[in-house]
Coordinates of all heavy atoms in Angstrom, one line a residue:
M1 N 0.9 -1.2 0.0 CA 0.0 0.0 0.0 C 0.9 1.2 0.0 O 1.8 1.4 0.8 CB -0.9 0.0 1.2 CG -1.8 1.2 1.3 SD -3.3 0.9 2.3 CE -2.6 0.8 4.0
G2 N 0.6 2.1 -0.9 CA 1.4 3.3 -1.0 C 1.0 4.4 0.0 O 0.0 4.3 0.7
F3 N 1.8 5.4 0.0 CA 1.6 6.5 0.9 C 0.3 7.2 0.7 O -0.5 7.4 1.6 CB 2.8 7.5 0.8 CG 2.6 8.7 1.7 CD1 2.8 8.5 3.1 CD2 2.3 9.9 1.2 CE1 2.6 9.6 3.9 CE2 2.1 11.0 2.1 CZ 2.3 10.9 3.4
F4 N 0.0 7.5 -0.6 CA -1.2 8.2 -0.9 C -2.5 7.3 -0.5 O -3.4 7.8 0.1 CB -1.3 8.6 -2.4 CG -2.5 9.3 -2.8 CD1 -2.7 10.6 -2.4 CD2 -3.5 8.7 -3.5 CE1 -3.8 11.3 -2.7 CE2 -4.6 9.4 -3.9 CZ -4.8 10.7 -3.5
S5 N -2.4 6.1 -0.9 CA -3.6 5.2 -0.6 C -3.8 5.0 0.9 O -4.9 4.9 1.4 CB -3.5 3.9 -1.3 OG -2.4 3.2 -0.9
G6 N -2.7 5.0 1.6 CA -2.7 5.0 3.1 C -3.4 6.2 3.7 O -4.2 6.1 4.6
L7 N -3.1 7.3 3.1 CA -3.7 8.6 3.6 C -5.2 8.6 3.3 O -6.0 9.1 4.1 CB -3.1 9.8 3.0 CG -1.7 10.2 3.5 CD1 -1.1 11.3 2.7 CD2 -1.8 10.5 5.0
V8 N -5.6 8.1 2.1 CA -7.0 8.1 1.7 C -7.8 7.1 2.5 O -8.9 7.4 2.9 CB -7.1 7.8 0.2 CG1 -8.5 7.6 -0.3 CG2 -6.4 8.9 -0.6
T9 N -7.3 6.0 2.8 CA -8.0 4.9 3.5 C -7.9 5.1 5.0 O -8.7 4.4 5.7 CB -7.6 3.5 3.1 OG1 -6.2 3.4 3.4 CG2 -7.9 3.3 1.6
A10 N -7.0 5.9 5.5 CA -6.9 6.0 7.0 C -8.1 6.4 7.7 O -8.4 5.8 8.8 CB -5.7 7.0 7.3
P11 N -9.0 7.3 7.2 CA -10.2 7.6 7.9 C -11.2 6.5 8.0 O -12.1 6.5 8.9 CB -10.8 8.8 7.1 CG -9.7 9.4 6.3 CD -8.7 8.2 6.1
L12 N -11.0 5.4 7.2 CA -11.9 4.3 7.2 C -11.5 3.2 8.3 O -12.2 2.3 8.6 CB -12.0 3.6 5.9 CG -12.6 4.5 4.8 CD1 -12.5 3.7 3.4 CD2 -14.0 4.9 5.1
A13 N -10.3 3.4 8.9 CA -9.8 2.4 9.8 C -10.7 2.2 11.0 O -11.0 1.0 11.3 CB -8.4 2.8 10.3
P14 N -11.3 3.2 11.6 CA -12.2 2.9 12.7 C -13.5 2.1 12.2 O -13.9 1.3 13.0 CB -12.6 4.3 13.2 CG -11.5 5.2 12.8 CD -11.0 4.6 11.5
V15 N -13.9 2.4 11.1 CA -15.1 1.7 10.5 C -14.7 0.2 10.3 O -15.5 -0.7 10.7 CB -15.6 2.3 9.2 CG1 -16.7 1.5 8.6 CG2 -16.1 3.8 9.5
K16 N -13.6 0.0 9.8 CA -13.1 -1.4 9.5 C -13.0 -2.1 10.9 O -13.3 -3.3 11.0 CB -11.8 -1.4 8.8 CG -12.0 -1.0 7.3 CD -10.6 -1.1 6.6 CE -10.8 -0.6 5.2 NZ -9.5 -0.7 4.5
G17 N -12.5 -1.4 11.9 CA -12.3 -2.0 13.2 C -13.7 -2.4 13.8 O -13.8 -3.4 14.4
V18 N -14.6 -1.5 13.7 CA -16.0 -1.8 14.2 C -16.6 -2.9 13.4 O -17.2 -3.8 14.0 CB -16.9 -0.5 14.1 CG1 -18.3 -0.8 14.4 CG2 -16.4 0.6 15.1
M19 N -16.4 -3.0 12.1 CA -16.9 -4.1 11.3 C -16.3 -5.4 11.8 O -17.0 -6.4 11.9 CB -16.7 -3.9 9.8 CG -17.4 -2.7 9.3 SD -19.2 -2.9 9.1 CE -19.2 -4.1 7.8
W20 N -15.0 -5.4 12.0 CA -14.3 -6.6 12.4 C -14.8 -7.1 13.8 O -15.1 -8.3 14.0 CB -12.8 -6.4 12.5 CG -12.1 -7.5 13.1 CD1 -11.7 -8.7 12.4 CD2 -11.7 -7.7 14.4 NE1 -11.1 -9.5 13.3 CE2 -11.1 -8.9 14.6 CE3 -11.9 -6.9 15.6 CZ2 -10.6 -9.4 15.8 CZ3 -11.4 -7.3 16.8 CH2 -10.7 -8.6 16.9
L21 N -15.0 -6.1 14.7 CA -15.5 -6.4 16.0 C -16.9 -7.0 15.9 O -17.2 -8.0 16.6 CB -15.5 -5.2 16.9 CG -16.0 -5.4 18.3 CD1 -15.1 -6.4 19.1 CD2 -16.0 -4.1 19.1
A22 N -17.8 -6.4 15.1 CA -19.1 -6.9 15.0 C -19.2 -8.3 14.4 O -19.9 -9.2 14.9 CB -20.0 -6.0 14.1
E23 N -18.3 -8.6 13.4 CA -18.3 -9.9 12.8 C -17.7 -11.0 13.9 O -18.3 -12.1 14.0 CB -17.3 -9.9 11.6 CG -17.9 -9.2 10.4 CD -17.0 -9.0 9.3 OE1 -15.8 -9.5 9.4 OE2 -17.4 -8.4 8.3
T24 N -16.7 -10.6 14.6 CA -16.2 -11.5 15.6 C -17.2 -11.8 16.7 O -17.4 -12.9 17.1 CB -14.9 -10.8 16.3 OG1 -14.0 -10.6 15.2 CG2 -14.3 -11.7 17.3
L25 N -17.9 -10.8 17.2 CA -18.9 -11.0 18.2 C -20.1 -11.8 17.7 O -20.6 -12.7 18.4 CB -19.5 -9.6 18.7 CG -18.5 -8.8 19.5 CD1 -19.1 -7.4 19.8 CD2 -18.1 -9.5 20.8
T26 N -20.4 -11.7 16.4 CA -21.5 -12.5 15.8 C -21.1 -13.9 15.8 O -21.8 -14.8 16.1 CB -21.8 -12.0 14.4 OG1 -22.3 -10.6 14.5 CG2 -22.9 -12.8 13.8
E27 N -19.8 -14.2 15.3 CA -19.3 -15.5 15.3 C -19.3 -16.2 16.6 O -19.7 -17.4 16.8 CB -17.9 -15.5 14.7 CG -17.8 -15.2 13.2 CD -16.4 -15.0 12.7 OE1 -15.4 -15.2 13.5 OE2 -16.3 -14.6 11.5
Q28 N -18.9 -15.5 17.7 CA -18.8 -16.0 19.0 C -20.2 -16.3 19.5 O -20.4 -17.3 20.2 CB -18.1 -15.0 20.0 CG -16.6 -14.9 19.7 CD -15.9 -16.2 19.9 OE1 -16.1 -16.9 20.9 NE2 -15.0 -16.6 19.0
A29 N -21.1 -15.4 19.3 CA -22.5 -15.6 19.7 C -23.1 -16.8 19.1 O -23.8 -17.7 19.7 CB -23.4 -14.4 19.5
E30 N -22.9 -17.0 17.8 CA -23.4 -18.1 17.1 C -22.8 -19.4 17.5 O -23.4 -20.5 17.6 CB -23.3 -18.0 15.6 CG -24.2 -16.9 15.0 CD -24.0 -16.7 13.5 OE1 -23.1 -17.3 12.9 OE2 -24.9 -16.1 12.9
A31 N -21.5 -19.4 17.8 CA -20.8 -20.5 18.3 C -21.4 -21.0 19.6 O -21.6 -22.2 19.9 CB -19.3 -20.3 18.5
Q32 N -21.7 -20.1 20.5 CA -22.3 -20.4 21.8 C -23.8 -20.9 21.6 O -24.2 -21.8 22.2 CB -22.3 -19.2 22.7 CG -20.9 -18.9 23.3 CD -20.9 -17.8 24.3 OE1 -21.9 -17.3 24.7 NE2 -19.7 -17.3 24.6
L33 N -24.5 -20.2 20.7 CA -25.9 -20.5 20.5 C -26.1 -22.0 20.0 O -27.0 -22.7 20.4 CB -26.5 -19.6 19.5 CG -28.0 -19.7 19.2 CD1 -28.9 -19.5 20.4 CD2 -28.4 -18.8 18.1
Y34 N -25.2 -22.4 19.1 CA -25.3 -23.7 18.5 C -24.4 -24.8 19.1 O -24.3 -25.9 18.5 CB -25.1 -23.6 17.0 CG -26.1 -22.6 16.3 CD1 -25.7 -21.5 15.7 CD2 -27.4 -22.9 16.3 CE1 -26.6 -20.6 15.1 CE2 -28.3 -22.1 15.7 CZ -27.9 -20.9 15.1 OH -28.8 -20.1 14.5
D35 N -23.7 -24.5 20.2 CA -22.8 -25.4 20.8 C -23.6 -26.6 21.4 O -24.4 -26.4 22.2 CB -22.0 -24.7 21.9 CG -21.1 -25.6 22.7 OD1 -20.4 -26.4 22.0 OD2 -21.1 -25.6 23.9
P36 N -23.3 -27.8 20.9 CA -24.0 -29.0 21.3 C -23.9 -29.2 22.9 O -24.8 -29.7 23.5 CB -23.3 -30.2 20.6 CG -22.7 -29.5 19.4 CD -22.3 -28.1 19.8
G37 N -22.7 -28.9 23.4 CA -22.6 -29.1 24.9 C -23.5 -28.2 25.7 O -24.1 -28.5 26.7
R38 N -23.6 -26.9 25.2 CA -24.4 -25.9 25.8 C -25.9 -26.3 25.7 O -26.7 -26.2 26.6 CB -24.2 -24.6 25.2 CG -24.9 -23.5 25.9 CD -24.6 -22.1 25.2 NE -25.2 -21.0 26.0 CZ -24.5 -20.1 26.6 NH1 -23.2 -20.1 26.6 NH2 -25.2 -19.2 27.2
I39 N -26.3 -26.8 24.5 CA -27.6 -27.3 24.3 C -28.0 -28.4 25.2 O -29.1 -28.5 25.7 CB -27.9 -27.6 22.8 CG1 -27.7 -26.3 21.9 CG2 -29.2 -28.3 22.5 CD1 -27.7 -26.5 20.4
A40 N -27.1 -29.4 25.3 CA -27.3 -30.5 26.2 C -27.5 -30.1 27.6 O -28.4 -30.6 28.3 CB -26.1 -31.5 26.1
A41 N -26.7 -29.1 28.1 CA -26.9 -28.6 29.4 C -28.2 -27.9 29.6 O -28.9 -28.0 30.6 CB -25.7 -27.6 29.7
E42 N -28.7 -27.2 28.6 CA -30.0 -26.5 28.6 C -31.1 -27.6 28.6 O -32.1 -27.4 29.3 CB -30.1 -25.5 27.5 CG -29.3 -24.3 27.6 CD -29.4 -23.3 26.5 OE1 -30.6 -23.1 26.0 OE2 -28.4 -22.7 26.0
M43 N -30.9 -28.6 27.9 CA -31.9 -29.7 27.9 C -32.0 -30.3 29.3 O -33.1 -30.6 29.8 CB -31.5 -30.8 26.9 CG -31.8 -30.4 25.5 SD -33.5 -30.4 25.0 CE -33.6 -31.9 24.1
Q44 N -30.9 -30.5 30.0 CA -30.9 -31.1 31.3 C -31.6 -30.1 32.3 O -32.3 -30.5 33.1 CB -29.4 -31.3 31.8 CG -29.4 -32.0 33.2 CD -30.1 -33.3 33.2 OE1 -29.9 -34.2 32.4 NE2 -31.0 -33.5 34.2
Q45 N -31.4 -28.8 32.1 CA -32.0 -27.8 32.9 C -33.5 -27.9 32.7 O -34.3 -27.8 33.7 CB -31.5 -26.4 32.6 CG -32.1 -25.3 33.4 CD -31.6 -23.9 33.1 OE1 -30.8 -23.8 32.2 NE2 -32.0 -22.9 33.8
V46 N -34.0 -28.0 31.5 CA -35.4 -28.1 31.2 C -36.0 -29.4 31.9 O -37.0 -29.3 32.6 CB -35.7 -28.2 29.7 CG1 -37.1 -28.6 29.4 CG2 -35.3 -26.8 29.1
A47 N -35.3 -30.5 31.8 CA -35.7 -31.7 32.5 C -35.8 -31.5 34.0 O -36.7 -32.0 34.6 CB -34.8 -32.9 32.1
D48 N -34.8 -30.9 34.6 CA -34.7 -30.6 36.0 C -35.9 -29.7 36.5 O -36.6 -30.0 37.5 CB -33.4 -30.0 36.5 CG -32.2 -31.0 36.3 OD1 -32.5 -32.2 36.1 OD2 -31.1 -30.5 36.3
E49 N -36.1 -28.7 35.7 CA -37.2 -27.8 36.0 C -38.6 -28.4 35.9 O -39.5 -28.2 36.7 CB -37.2 -26.5 35.1 CG -36.0 -25.6 35.4 CD -35.9 -24.4 34.5 OE1 -36.7 -24.3 33.6 OE2 -34.9 -23.7 34.6
S50 N -38.7 -29.3 34.9 CA -39.9 -30.0 34.7 C -40.2 -31.0 35.8 O -41.3 -31.1 36.4 CB -39.9 -30.7 33.4 OG -41.1 -31.5 33.2
A51 N -39.1 -31.7 36.2 CA -39.2 -32.7 37.3 C -39.5 -32.0 38.6 O -40.3 -32.6 39.5 CB -37.9 -33.5 37.4
A52 N -39.0 -30.8 38.8 CA -39.3 -30.1 40.1 C -40.6 -29.4 40.1 O -41.0 -28.8 41.1 CB -38.2 -29.1 40.3
G53 N -41.3 -29.4 39.0 CA -42.6 -28.8 38.9 C -42.5 -27.3 38.7 O -43.5 -26.5 38.8
E54 N -41.4 -26.8 38.3 CA -41.2 -25.3 38.1 C -41.7 -24.9 36.7 O -42.1 -23.7 36.6 CB -39.7 -25.0 38.1 CG -39.1 -25.3 39.5 CD -37.6 -25.1 39.5 OE1 -37.0 -24.6 38.5 OE2 -36.9 -25.4 40.5
I55 N -41.8 -25.8 35.8 CA -42.5 -25.5 34.5 C -43.4 -26.6 34.1 O -43.3 -27.8 34.6 CB -41.4 -25.3 33.4 CG1 -40.6 -26.6 33.2 CG2 -40.5 -24.1 33.6 CD1 -39.7 -26.5 32.0
T56 N -44.4 -26.3 33.3 CA -45.4 -27.4 32.9 C -44.7 -28.2 31.8 O -43.7 -27.9 31.2 CB -46.6 -26.7 32.3 OG1 -46.3 -26.0 31.1 CG2 -47.3 -25.7 33.3
E57 N -45.4 -29.4 31.6 CA -44.9 -30.3 30.5 C -45.0 -29.6 29.1 O -44.1 -29.8 28.3 CB -45.8 -31.5 30.5 CG -45.6 -32.4 31.7 CD -44.2 -33.0 31.7 OE1 -43.6 -33.4 30.6 OE2 -43.6 -33.2 32.8
E58 N -46.0 -28.7 28.9 CA -46.1 -28.0 27.7 C -44.9 -27.0 27.5 O -44.3 -27.0 26.4 CB -47.4 -27.2 27.6 CG -48.6 -28.1 27.5 CD -49.9 -27.3 27.5 OE1 -49.9 -26.0 27.7 OE2 -51.0 -27.9 27.3
E59 N -44.6 -26.3 28.6 CA -43.4 -25.4 28.5 C -42.2 -26.2 28.2 O -41.3 -25.7 27.4 CB -43.3 -24.6 29.8 CG -44.4 -23.6 30.0 CD -44.4 -23.0 31.4 OE1 -44.1 -23.7 32.4 OE2 -44.6 -21.7 31.5
A60 N -42.0 -27.3 28.9 CA -40.8 -28.1 28.7 C -40.7 -28.6 27.3 O -39.7 -28.6 26.6 CB -40.8 -29.3 29.7
A61 N -41.9 -29.1 26.7 CA -41.9 -29.5 25.3 C -41.5 -28.4 24.4 O -40.8 -28.7 23.4 CB -43.2 -30.1 25.0
E62 N -42.0 -27.2 24.6 CA -41.7 -26.1 23.7 C -40.3 -25.8 23.7 O -39.6 -25.5 22.7 CB -42.6 -24.9 24.1 CG -44.0 -25.0 23.8 CD -44.8 -23.8 24.3 OE1 -44.2 -22.8 24.7 OE2 -46.1 -23.9 24.3
R63 N -39.7 -25.7 24.9 CA -38.3 -25.4 25.1 C -37.4 -26.5 24.5 O -36.4 -26.2 23.8 CB -37.9 -25.2 26.6 CG -38.5 -23.8 27.1 CD -38.3 -23.6 28.5 NE -36.9 -23.6 29.0 CZ -36.6 -23.6 30.3 NH1 -37.5 -23.4 31.2 NH2 -35.3 -23.7 30.6
E64 N -37.8 -27.7 24.7 CA -37.0 -28.8 24.1 C -37.1 -28.8 22.5 O -36.1 -29.0 21.9 CB -37.6 -30.2 24.6 CG -37.2 -30.5 26.0 CD -37.9 -31.7 26.6 OE1 -38.8 -32.3 25.9 OE2 -37.5 -32.1 27.7
E65 N -38.2 -28.5 22.0 CA -38.3 -28.3 20.5 C -37.4 -27.2 20.0 O -36.7 -27.4 19.0 CB -39.8 -28.0 20.1 CG -40.7 -29.2 20.2 CD -42.1 -28.8 19.8 OE1 -42.3 -27.9 19.0 OE2 -43.0 -29.5 20.3
E66 N -37.4 -26.1 20.7 CA -36.5 -25.0 20.3 C -35.0 -25.4 20.4 O -34.2 -25.1 19.5 CB -36.7 -23.8 21.2 CG -35.7 -22.6 21.0 CD -35.8 -22.0 19.6 OE1 -36.8 -22.2 18.9 OE2 -34.8 -21.4 19.2
L67 N -34.7 -26.2 21.5 CA -33.3 -26.6 21.6 C -32.9 -27.6 20.5 O -31.8 -27.6 20.0 CB -33.1 -27.2 23.0 CG -33.1 -26.2 24.2 CD1 -33.2 -27.0 25.5 CD2 -31.9 -25.3 24.1
I68 N -33.8 -28.5 20.2 CA -33.6 -29.5 19.1 C -33.4 -28.7 17.8 O -32.6 -29.0 17.0 CB -34.7 -30.5 19.0 CG1 -34.6 -31.4 20.3 CG2 -34.6 -31.3 17.7 CD1 -35.8 -32.3 20.5
R69 N -34.2 -27.7 17.5 CA -34.1 -26.9 16.3 C -32.7 -26.2 16.3 O -32.1 -26.3 15.2 CB -35.2 -25.8 16.3 CG -35.2 -25.0 15.0 CD -36.0 -23.7 15.1 NE -35.4 -22.8 16.1 CZ -34.4 -22.0 15.9 NH1 -33.6 -22.1 14.8 NH2 -34.0 -21.2 16.9
R70 N -32.3 -25.7 17.4 CA -31.0 -25.0 17.4 C -29.9 -26.1 17.1 O -28.9 -25.8 16.4 CB -30.7 -24.4 18.8 CG -31.3 -23.0 18.9 CD -31.2 -22.4 20.3 NE -29.9 -22.6 20.9 CZ -29.8 -22.5 22.3 NH1 -30.8 -22.2 23.0 NH2 -28.6 -22.7 22.8
L71 N -30.0 -27.2 17.7 CA -29.0 -28.3 17.5 C -28.9 -28.7 16.0 O -27.8 -28.8 15.5 CB -29.3 -29.5 18.4 CG -28.3 -30.7 18.3 CD1 -27.0 -30.2 18.9 CD2 -28.9 -31.8 19.2
N72 N -30.1 -28.9 15.4 CA -30.1 -29.3 14.0 C -29.6 -28.1 13.1 O -28.9 -28.4 12.2 CB -31.5 -29.7 13.6 CG -32.0 -31.0 14.2 OD1 -31.2 -31.8 14.5 ND2 -33.3 -31.1 14.4
E73 N -29.9 -26.9 13.5 CA -29.4 -25.8 12.7 C -27.9 -25.7 12.8 O -27.2 -25.4 11.8 CB -30.1 -24.5 13.1 CG -29.8 -23.3 12.2 CD -30.6 -22.1 12.6 OE1 -31.8 -22.2 13.1 OE2 -30.1 -21.0 12.3
G74 N -27.4 -25.9 14.0 CA -26.0 -25.8 14.2 C -25.2 -26.9 13.4 O -24.2 -26.7 12.9
R75 N -25.8 -28.1 13.4 CA -25.2 -29.2 12.6 C -25.3 -28.9 11.1 O -24.3 -29.2 10.4 CB -26.0 -30.5 12.9 CG -25.7 -31.1 14.2 CD -26.4 -32.3 14.5 NE -26.1 -32.9 15.8 CZ -26.8 -33.8 16.4 NH1 -27.9 -34.3 15.8 NH2 -26.5 -34.2 17.6
A76 N -26.3 -28.2 10.7 CA -26.4 -27.9 9.2 C -25.4 -26.8 8.9 O -24.9 -26.8 7.7 CB -27.8 -27.4 8.9
R77 N -25.1 -25.9 9.8 CA -24.1 -24.9 9.5 C -22.7 -25.4 9.5 O -21.9 -24.9 8.8 CB -24.2 -23.8 10.6 CG -25.5 -22.9 10.5 CD -25.5 -22.0 11.7 NE -26.6 -21.1 11.6 CZ -26.5 -19.8 11.4 NH1 -25.4 -19.3 11.3 NH2 -27.6 -19.1 11.3
G78 N -22.5 -26.4 10.4 CA -21.1 -26.9 10.5 C -20.7 -27.9 9.6 O -19.8 -28.2 9.1

């Protein structure tokens, strides 16, 4: 990169940094959202809450369906 092009693109450096940060945060959030270990832990939590009577069977079924959807979507992405 030449001196002139460096001067012209220098004002864009903060924007590029923000874009990089946003992309990195998105990747990390998606990695956690679709992490099979995390999903398994959430499934166990749903089962525990259901067994303790903290949530109804319907609520447990809805949450389990969402977790299964996330697991399948994560597998399709990876």
Side-chain angles (χ1 to χ4, degrees):
M1 177 159 69
F3 178 73
F4 181 72
S5 61
L7 286 174
V8 171
T9 59
L12 297 176
V15 174
K16 289 181 181 181
V18 170
M19 295 287 289
W20 173 83
L21 180 61
E23 290 171 2
T24 301
L25 291 174
T26 299
E27 289 171 6
Q28 291 297 315
E30 287 179 350
Q32 288 182 9
L33 181 65
Y34 300 116
D35 177 43
R38 186 179 184 115
I39 293 172
E42 290 181 39
M43 286 286 257
Q44 184 60 51
Q45 181 180 1
V46 169
D48 293 344
E49 289 175 2
S50 179
E54 296 174 6
I55 61 173
T56 66
E57 290 294 324
E58 290 176 357
E59 291 171 320
E62 289 174 12
R63 287 175 56 187
E64 288 173 351
E65 285 178 27
E66 174 62 21
L67 290 168
I68 291 169
R69 184 196 62 76
R70 279 177 36 202
L71 183 62
N72 289 334
E73 189 172 332
R75 287 179 179 163
R77 288 174 176 248

